[in-house]
Amino acid sequence: MVTASYDKTLRLWDLENGVVLKVMEGHHWGIRVAAVSRDGQFIASGDFGGELIAWNRDGESLTQPIRVKVHSNKIFSLDFSPDSTFMASGSMDNTVELWNTKTWRVEGNPINCGTEVRCVRYSPSGEYLAIATKKDIQIWNARKRERIAKFQGHSAFNGAWNYSVAWTSDGMRLFSSGSILDPTIREWDTSTWKQVGQPCKGHTDTVYTIAFNPTGTLIASASEDQQVRLWRISDRSPIAIFKHPDQLYCATFSADGKHILSGGRDTVISKWKVPFLEDISKDKLSDDMLRGMLRRGNKGQIILNASATARDACIAGDLPTADRLLTQDIAADGNDYKSHANRSFVKARNSDWDHALDDALKSISIKPSLMGCISKGIAHCGKNQFQDAMKAFDIAFMYVDADLNKTRLLLLIKAIALFNANQHDEAILRVQELAKTRPNPNSLACGIVEAYLHVQLGINALDDTRHNESADHFTAAVDAIGFSSMSTIHSRYDVFLVLFGWDLRSLWRTAHQNWCDALLRTGRLPEAIKAYRYIMDRADEATKASYLDWSTGSLLDQDCSVVYAAAGVTDIIESGDVALAAGITMGPSSFTLQRSTSVWQQIQPLRTAARRGQEKCYGTTHSSRCEQGHRTQPSSYSGYQLKHAVLHGAHRYDEAIEVFKIMISKLENASDTQTQDLRHQHVGPSEAERAIEESINAQLDDAPHRLIDTSTGRLCNRETQIDAFKASTEYKELLSSTMKDAYLPCSASKPWWRYTSVMSYSRTVGGIAKLQSFCKTTRDKGYRWAWIDTCCIDQTNNVEVQQSVNSMFVWYRHSALTIVYLSDVAFIAAWSTRK
């Protein structure tokens, strides 16, 4: 392995033994980048002064020392062609130079990219060169010096910079990473240069480097957020997170793909083992459930360094499991002061203050520590013993090692403990004073805590119908947050989640929704409208979509409740592309009120949500200007969402499906990439139909092949059952819903397929009376399908008879209800075979 450093040297390492084989010196400036040729014969390095040096595989300068300065600014990226005959160098002087590795001279004129070059990568064929610049991604035919494509890349999302690119092994896809304004990994189709699939999201700061493993199935990313993340390419699932104590600049795979090596500001090269994919359950790979894979090397990790399993249970809110695991750890080692302190935190989450204090005191008696003192302070606060609590927190400062980050976190934990003990005003005052004392960079954590505390007070006031007070608290929370992306906060400050059960991921949304709601409840309509506009101007598209659902549902179901009358639904849906305009112009006659709240107040959030995808007409004073704007740009993503929601809510599913088809078509044919990206948030009708069909087949695997339709008395085979379902209202409702949420089919259609079975404990078969009674009982219990061996098995088909005999008890077990027919008694006994 070769590494390059700002200390002006490169080092050649023996990976097996972890020793340095050679220190390579010669640069006059700190080294920004190094690269190794595909055949392993050359090493090249570029520095901050624009100088390039070529080395042989043993780390020695070539026969004629090559130290060339052709770039006028730092060299940011190097890459060798697949055949190792050429090398490209990209610089912040806006150019890319191509080097002949036989002569180590620049060939041809430089490629002028017009802006700073961040990354250069040859395609697998060597024909093309992908160049990531500050403002765009450019694709060049390197030999001909012809640019064949240029697109914004990450710049299309909040004006982010493009930082790294990587080709798939077949050259059919190009992956890229972005800066802090869009810290994602995006995939581009090389035939159209359009984005495909959903981006890989999880990083919270600039993603400097991305790299494929040798098989092309995994991609590793290194970010300034101190994390290396490992992603599965097939479904973009996160596989693992590796945590560094400082910013990361580079990550790559070992030649055998079994390890990731990474380096950054901490001047240490870290080696991480790639987990076996077969050991990872695909349906469990969510961002929240990766905590157990998180390598805790962060110097700021000052508490809760318990076992990964116990910590994950705390994060998931499974406190009984966390308690049990920590108790097992204590039983195994009674002198484990960390486990006692951690169990104290768990007890405190359950408000079991006596046992929380016992564990805290035990931890300190074994070994005084920061986490022990914190657990003691929290426990004393819970018991309203504030003087003792303050003493415990004061002693805790002895263990922060003059670390300002630890000091800040300790002060915030102290304030939260006071808040939870109903010392609300003092807690918020402490947080505000801390933010003033050290405003940068500590204001972020202080703002988060202050916002969360105000949200809690606002919710309490809202529950007690103190609406003006709640509105003031939510306004303060919104002012304290000042940003909309909470994924960064959730991962960076998950200590608040573990200690206090805080959900920081939804903080922004919760604060803003309740802010608007509280203002509406107080009758402060102009402020509520302004709040809603503020939300829509700052939220990302996913958040906006959730706000549309909220504004048409939850919000209107509260004090501003409305019921869509038939006329109102018609007014909304009849206008086609201008559904948005219909939403703006419809008046009081379109709605039937349940309460005395004004129609205008009720419909305003709906109108605001509907027009957020259009021109911002609310800056004008005349509705005619709004309508004119809609005529010039009639196709509205939000308008179609609204239209679909209204039709779906009115149970007009056929029309809702058609509206959704139109919306999907318009998204696919949009001219801008950002709008096209919205298409990936939804599935089309054909995709939804396939998802439902797969769900149906899975559910019917353990069901009889022939059932009785209890409403008609007819025998129905599998095909007839499926046809009946597809003709039903339930199917259309499910299809309409699935296009918005692809995860619905797995459970949503289950009620349709539930069937009953019958068993007979009598020498007398019962004949038609038994069948009629069975069907009637099944219908009365709310089930459509029934199975009975005397009718549902073709006795002339020996294969079917044998299959039925083998499967019969499985069918009994999976039936929703088993009915026992007793011919000689006057009642029918039935029991459920499912919970």
Side-chain angles (χ1 to χ4, degrees), residues 139-260:
I139 311 299
W140 288 76
N141 184 311
R143 299 293 177 90
K144 296 180 179 180
R145 298 294 200 285
E146 293 179 354
R147 190 177 68 195
I148 63 172
K150 177 182 176 181
F151 54 98
Q152 284 184 284
H154 295 265
S155 296
F157 304 91
N158 304 315
W161 297 354
N162 300 287
Y163 252 91
S164 183
V165 288
W167 298 82
T168 55
S169 58
D170 59 5
M172 301 298 292
R173 294 286 191 271
L174 181 73
F175 283 72
S176 65
S177 68
S179 66
I180 187 172
L181 295 177
D182 185 41
T184 64
I185 301 172
R186 297 183 181 273
E187 180 180 357
W188 312 92
D189 187 333
T190 59
S191 63
T192 62
W193 301 112
K194 302 293 184 182
Q195 184 178 330
V196 294
Q198 293 290 341
C200 299
K201 294 183 177 180
H203 282 298
T204 59
D205 210 332
T206 299
V207 182
Y208 283 117
T209 306
I210 55 176
F212 280 103
N213 69 337
T215 60
T217 56
L218 302 174
I219 194 167
S221 54
S223 170
E224 194 169 0
D225 66 7
Q226 305 176 19
Q227 293 181 358
V228 170
R229 286 185 172 237
L230 184 62
W231 313 83
R232 178 162 49 197
I233 296 302
S234 59
D235 57 3
R236 297 170 183 80
S237 294
I239 301 300
I241 304 174
F242 308 110
K243 193 71 174 280
H244 278 251
D246 213 329
Q247 296 175 357
L248 275 166
Y249 299 138
C250 184
T252 189
F253 284 88
S254 58
D256 59 9
K258 294 181 179 180
H259 294 88
I260 297 173

Side-chain angles (χ1 to χ4, degrees), residues 519-745:
L519 290 171
L520 281 171
R521 290 175 183 272
T522 60
R524 293 151 67 176
L525 182 59
E527 293 177 74
I529 296 172
K530 183 179 179 180
Y532 205 92
R533 292 170 182 165
Y534 177 91
I535 294 167
M536 290 305 167
D537 283 344
R538 287 159 179 79
D540 55 29
E541 287 301 327
T543 305
K544 287 180 181 179
S546 71
Y547 265 77
L548 178 61
D549 293 338
W550 166 70
S551 62
T552 57
S554 299
L555 180 62
L556 298 180
D557 285 341
Q558 297 175 8
D559 283 350
C560 320
S561 182
V562 296
V563 174
Y564 292 110
V569 174
T570 303
D571 287 343
I572 292 176
I573 64 176
E574 66 184 1
S575 50
D577 272 356
V578 291
L580 181 57
I584 289 177
T585 57
M586 59 188 171
S589 62
S590 300
F591 289 89
T592 300
L593 298 181
Q594 287 186 337
R595 301 190 182 148
S596 59
T597 313
S598 69
V599 173
W600 183 253
Q601 182 175 345
Q602 295 175 36
I603 197 60
Q604 182 63 23
L606 185 62
R607 298 168 63 251
T608 308
R611 61 184 170 181
R612 73 176 186 268
Q614 299 292 327
E615 297 180 4
K616 297 182 179 178
C617 301
Y618 48 73
T620 67
T621 56
H622 301 291
S623 61
S624 60
R625 290 190 61 183
C626 290
E627 293 173 5
Q628 182 180 1
H630 297 310
R631 285 195 296 270
T632 57
Q633 190 183 5
S635 55
S636 162
Y637 167 65
S638 301
Y640 279 102
Q641 276 196 310
L642 172 62
K643 187 175 175 183
H644 174 267
V646 172
L647 286 165
H648 186 90
H651 309 302
R652 296 166 64 170
Y653 302 119
D654 288 330
E655 296 166 87
I657 292 168
E658 290 305 313
V659 166
F660 214 87
K661 288 180 180 179
I662 297 173
M663 186 191 78
I664 293 292
S665 174
K666 289 186 177 293
L667 289 177
E668 290 175 340
N669 297 319
S671 57
D672 63 291
T673 306
Q674 189 169 5
T675 303
Q676 291 175 359
D677 191 43
L678 294 171
R679 167 63 179 88
H680 305 301
Q681 299 180 10
H682 309 287
V683 297
S686 59
E687 299 168 272
E689 287 172 354
R690 284 196 299 272
I692 296 172
E693 187 172 346
E694 290 174 2
S695 173
I696 292 172
N697 292 334
Q699 292 177 56
L700 294 182
D701 281 345
D702 294 322
H705 299 288
R706 193 177 289 106
L707 293 171
I708 300 172
D709 185 337
T710 58
S711 61
T712 64
R714 294 180 182 274
L715 274 175
C716 298
N717 59 20
R718 184 69 55 80
E719 183 178 353
T720 305
Q721 297 167 39
I722 294 175
D723 289 343
F725 178 52
K726 290 185 175 181
S728 69
T729 301
E730 289 90 340
Y731 175 79
K732 295 173 182 177
E733 179 184 12
L734 180 58
L735 180 59
S736 178
S737 301
T738 303
M739 290 188 294
K740 289 190 65 178
D741 185 351
Y743 298 99
L744 281 174

Side-chain angles (χ1 to χ4, degrees), residues 44-304:
S45 53
D47 63 28
F48 283 81
E51 184 179 82
L52 183 138
I53 298 180
W55 318 76
N56 66 20
R57 61 179 298 160
D58 296 319
E60 300 172 344
S61 295
L62 299 176
T63 306
Q64 297 297 323
I66 298 170
R67 187 180 293 113
V68 185
K69 188 177 188 303
V70 297
H71 289 290
S72 60
N73 206 329
K74 69 179 67 173
I75 297 175
F76 218 84
S77 181
L78 300 171
D79 192 46
F80 284 89
S81 62
D83 60 7
S84 300
T85 59
F86 280 87
M87 187 193 72
S89 61
S91 169
M92 290 188 69
D93 65 5
N94 303 352
T95 67
V96 173
E97 298 279 7
L98 300 182
W99 303 75
N100 187 316
T101 58
K102 293 182 179 179
T103 62
W104 284 105
R105 295 181 182 275
V106 171
E107 285 198 356
N109 295 323
I111 297 174
N112 193 332
C113 300
T115 186
E116 299 172 1
V117 176
R118 300 287 175 176
C119 185
V120 292
R121 290 291 182 267
Y122 275 97
S123 66
S125 66
E127 183 180 4
Y128 301 115
L129 190 66
I131 304 173
T133 78
K134 182 176 176 181
K135 296 181 179 179
D136 53 37
I137 296 176
Q138 302 179 20
I139 311 299
W140 288 76
N141 184 311
R143 299 293 177 90
K144 296 180 179 180
R145 298 294 200 285
E146 293 179 354
R147 190 177 68 195
I148 63 172
K150 177 182 176 181
F151 54 98
Q152 284 184 284
H154 295 265
S155 296
F157 304 91
N158 304 315
W161 297 354
N162 300 287
Y163 252 91
S164 183
V165 288
W167 298 82
T168 55
S169 58
D170 59 5
M172 301 298 292
R173 294 286 191 271
L174 181 73
F175 283 72
S176 65
S177 68
S179 66
I180 187 172
L181 295 177
D182 185 41
T184 64
I185 301 172
R186 297 183 181 273
E187 180 180 357
W188 312 92
D189 187 333
T190 59
S191 63
T192 62
W193 301 112
K194 302 293 184 182
Q195 184 178 330
V196 294
Q198 293 290 341
C200 299
K201 294 183 177 180
H203 282 298
T204 59
D205 210 332
T206 299
V207 182
Y208 283 117
T209 306
I210 55 176
F212 280 103
N213 69 337
T215 60
T217 56
L218 302 174
I219 194 167
S221 54
S223 170
E224 194 169 0
D225 66 7
Q226 305 176 19
Q227 293 181 358
V228 170
R229 286 185 172 237
L230 184 62
W231 313 83
R232 178 162 49 197
I233 296 302
S234 59
D235 57 3
R236 297 170 183 80
S237 294
I239 301 300
I241 304 174
F242 308 110
K243 193 71 174 280
H244 278 251
D246 213 329
Q247 296 175 357
L248 275 166
Y249 299 138
C250 184
T252 189
F253 284 88
S254 58
D256 59 9
K258 294 181 179 180
H259 294 88
I260 297 173
L261 299 117
S262 57
R265 182 173 289 183
D266 63 347
T267 70
V268 174
I269 304 301
S270 299
K271 183 179 179 181
W272 314 98
K273 185 176 181 180
V274 175
F276 291 107
L277 295 187
E278 56 267 30
D279 294 336
I280 301 174
S281 175
K282 182 176 179 180
D283 60 354
K284 293 182 179 179
L285 288 172
S286 68
D287 201 48
D288 289 336
M289 300 185 71
L290 283 169
R291 301 297 181 186
M293 297 179 181
L294 184 62
R295 305 303 198 263
R296 299 172 181 86
N298 192 343
K299 295 176 182 175
Q301 186 73 36
I302 61 174
I303 57 177
L304 296 165

